[in-house]
Amino acid sequence: MDDYKLLISGDRPLMGEIRVSGGKNTSVAVIPAALLCDEPCQLENIPDIEDVHVLIDILRMLGAKVDYDPATKRMNIDPTTLSGFTVPYSYTQRMRASYYLIGALLGRTGEAEVAYPGGCSIGNRPFDQHIKGFRALGTEVEERGAVIHARGRAIGSGVFFDRITVGGTINVMLAAAKAEGSTILYNAAREPHIVDVANFINSMGGSIKGAGTDTIRIRGVSRLHASNYAVIPDQIETGTLMIAAAATRGDVTIRGCIPTHMESLTAKLLEMGVGVKESDDSIRVHTFRGQRAVNVKTQEYPGFPTDLQQPMSAMLTMAKGTSVVNETIFENRFKHLPEIARMGAHIRILEQTAIIDGVSELFGAPVTATDLRAGAALVVAGLMAKGTTEIYEPGYITRGYERLEEKLRSLGADIRRERI
Ligand code: EPZ
């Protein structure tokens, strides 16, 4: 239970400029990837969020030296003092993506013993494809007492993923980067942060080709040298800010982003009648006319990201007409909708499909966040609603979005914390 709630006094347009932070989902993969290096590494643009601090604790517990400056977003990692390969549940329960430690430790030491992370509210999220990949590389993988124990020198091989998985693609890439021989990943995920991890490993002297396509070729190398690498901006934070700007009928320029990563959302906003103007490293969202209802189907990249489904469906509650939202990636990613219905939204949920009949007004109400992007959806709804919205369990939100409240306040939002 968080000891504070967020209060939002809504129905105010967001106006101005904001710079997006470094990517959460790329950072939680690039930081473990630094363990593969045979020399100290420097990372830039690492966001000051809880998931990053959990990883710092894990790497230090394993014996690596880690310095991080939240002001400069710069992180120095010296993996040469690494001495352990066991990550207990007391650490993995704090961050789901701790599973990347398996691929990184396997790739560096040939052994990893990592407790399964905590459950997740958006779906079952098994690891079968990760394990299939590690076994295809010739390592022995046992699951005992909610711990994954993998050991053995990875030998290059072919890995065909039965379903597209971001984590599986990255995790097996980490294990294969220093394998004996070459590996080909088939039916690989194509998300921007997969390209970022591959670029980072290549910047250390790795040999990964095809990242960003569904076939990734990895030639194992024996040694990786020091690198100074800046991670890409956060695709999902960019999208969340774009949606918040459109939902409040504001005029916001998001700086330091990569517009090509946002194409599926940009297309949807244009379809709604929202104005979107792209330049090299910024996107301006402003509204020309009313917002038409649209249909959204989540898909793997470059399709519409499941992580933006929740904030997007919040915005659709006030679009003109009926929107149909189909969530195809996770089984249970509509938990924000009943909360927004408390604010006056008209929503019907039929398994993986939400039917949203746009209303002319939402009214502030007390609501509870259940996961990171559900929390973001409640923030969007609160920014749209008349009156005050109270968001309980806001820790979900602040853990994955760097200084979100401060950013929104700088755009004119009336959002603040209040102790419970
Ligand atoms: C990553 O999770 C992201 N997290 C998620 O973002 C994101 O929603 C997801 O990719 C999809 O884009 C990080 O990058 C840290 P998957 P991941 O493996 O890797 C099933 C956020 O809010 N699956 O692509 O866990 C799985 O259950 C988070 O930032 C298997 O069946 O996602 C899901 O239904 C939430 N077996 C689907 O595949 C496996 O072995 C996609 O999962 C692996 C996955």
Side-chain angles (χ1 to χ4, degrees):
M1 256 301 261
D2 291 326
D3 61 1
Y4 72 96
K5 57 188 173 184
L6 284 183
L7 293 181
I8 301 176
S9 174
D11 197 19
R12 306 155 65 106
L14 297 183
M15 310 292 278
E17 293 198 359
I18 193 71
R19 177 161 288 278
V20 71
S21 298
K24 165 181 94 76
N25 288 348
T26 191
S27 296
V28 298
V30 165
I31 293 168
L35 294 182
L36 294 168
C37 194
D38 296 291
E39 295 172 9
C41 271
Q42 183 169 79
L43 302 176
E44 315 250 356
N45 204 26
I46 300 292
D48 179 15
I49 54 176
E50 187 177 323
D51 282 2
V52 165
H53 290 283
V54 173
L55 274 173
I56 293 171
D57 291 347
I58 292 174
L59 264 60
R60 285 177 177 158
M61 178 271 296
L62 291 169
K65 291 193 190 71
V66 186
D67 296 315
Y68 175 59
D69 180 350
T72 62
K73 314 295 174 203
R74 195 167 287 152
M75 181 180 282
N76 294 310
I77 299 174
D78 178 358
T80 59
T81 54
L82 195 85
S83 54
F85 60 82
T86 301
V87 186
Y89 182 65
S90 55
Y91 286 90
T92 60
Q93 65 166 342
R94 292 165 56 196
M95 188 192 74
R96 246 200 84 70
S98 44
Y99 47 68
Y100 288 135
L101 272 302
I102 306 167
L105 287 168
L106 208 45
R108 180 191 179 86
T109 66
E111 184 151 19
E113 195 173 76
V114 179
Y116 269 106
C120 186
S121 72
I122 60 176
N124 171 26
R125 304 182 80 177
F127 287 96
D128 57 303
Q129 297 302 303
H130 299 236
I131 291 168
K132 171 180 179 175
F134 296 143
R135 286 182 172 145
L137 296 179
T139 66
E140 221 183 279
V141 183
E142 280 178 282
E143 298 171 79
R144 226 182 18 250
V147 172
I148 295 183
H149 199 157
R151 63 168 76 87
R153 173 119 173 76
I155 311 289
S157 170
V159 180
F160 195 100
F161 289 110
D162 300 329
R163 75 170 290 168
I164 296 172
T165 157
V166 172
T169 299
I170 292 176
N171 228 349
V172 180
M173 187 197 287
L174 296 180
K178 300 177 92 171
E180 218 165 284
S182 293
T183 297
I184 303 182
L185 306 184
Y186 298 99
N187 198 26
R190 300 159 57 185
E191 268 67 7
H193 56 287
I194 290 168
V195 179
D196 210 24
V197 175
N199 288 344
F200 170 53
I201 292 170
N202 288 341
S203 76
M204 295 188 284
S207 173
I208 300 177
K209 292 184 173 49
T213 75
D214 62 3
T215 306
I216 301 178
R217 297 171 193 285
I218 305 158
R219 182 173 55 77
V221 297
S222 54
R223 187 172 169 67
L224 290 174
H225 58 68
S227 166
N228 179 331
Y229 189 82
V231 301
I232 57 172
D234 195 308
Q235 174 202 16
I236 305 304
E237 182 193 359
T238 303
T240 306
L241 292 169
M242 287 170 68
I243 290 167
T248 57
R249 291 164 169 67
D251 185 341
V252 173
T253 298
I254 297 146
R255 296 226 174 274
C257 63
I258 301 177
T260 49
H261 290 170
M262 308 313 303
E263 280 171 358
S264 58
L265 173 62
T266 299
K268 267 303 152 189
L269 292 176
L270 292 171
E271 197 184 324
M272 290 182 75
V274 173
V276 182
K277 192 168 168 20
E278 297 175 352
S279 70
D280 289 353
D281 67 349
S282 70
I283 295 180
R284 180 183 169 208
V285 176
H286 51 114
T287 311
F288 286 123
R289 46 191 179 282
Q291 296 186 348
R292 293 187 291 275
V294 288
N295 296 334
V296 173
K297 178 175 184 174
T298 63
Q299 284 173 311
E300 296 85 0
Y301 192 85
F304 193 95
T306 174
D307 292 350
L308 290 177
Q309 175 267 106
Q310 292 159 290
M312 184 72 177
S313 49
M315 174 164 74
L316 293 174
T317 62
M318 285 184 67
K320 287 186 175 49
T322 296
S323 303
V324 177
V325 177
N326 182 214
E327 171 56 64
T328 71
I329 307 291
F330 289 107
E331 312 92 273
N332 191 12
R333 207 163 192 176
F334 284 146
K335 290 167 89 170
H336 55 300
L337 292 177
E339 295 300 301
I340 302 175
R342 291 160 54 82
M343 301 168 70
H346 289 180
I347 302 161
R348 286 164 286 152
I349 297 174
L350 308 167
E351 292 180 359
Q352 298 302 92
T353 301
I355 298 162
I356 302 173
D357 300 313
V359 294
S360 53
E361 283 176 318
L362 289 182
F363 296 93
V367 289
T368 301
T370 49
D371 60 81
L372 171 61
R373 309 302 175 182
L378 298 181
V379 169
V380 170
L383 292 170
M384 295 159 71
K386 288 192 177 352
T388 301
T389 298
E390 299 176 313
I391 301 177
Y392 289 80
E393 297 307 311
Y396 280 113
I397 309 166
T398 52
R399 64 169 304 155
Y401 285 95
E402 187 184 52
R403 296 183 298 103
L404 183 64
E405 297 147 68
E406 199 182 307
K407 287 174 179 166
L408 292 174
R409 270 196 294 274
S410 74
L411 295 172
D414 178 349
I415 178 171
R416 58 192 168 77
R417 295 187 179 195
E418 188 175 277
R419 291 189 72 74
I420 296 173

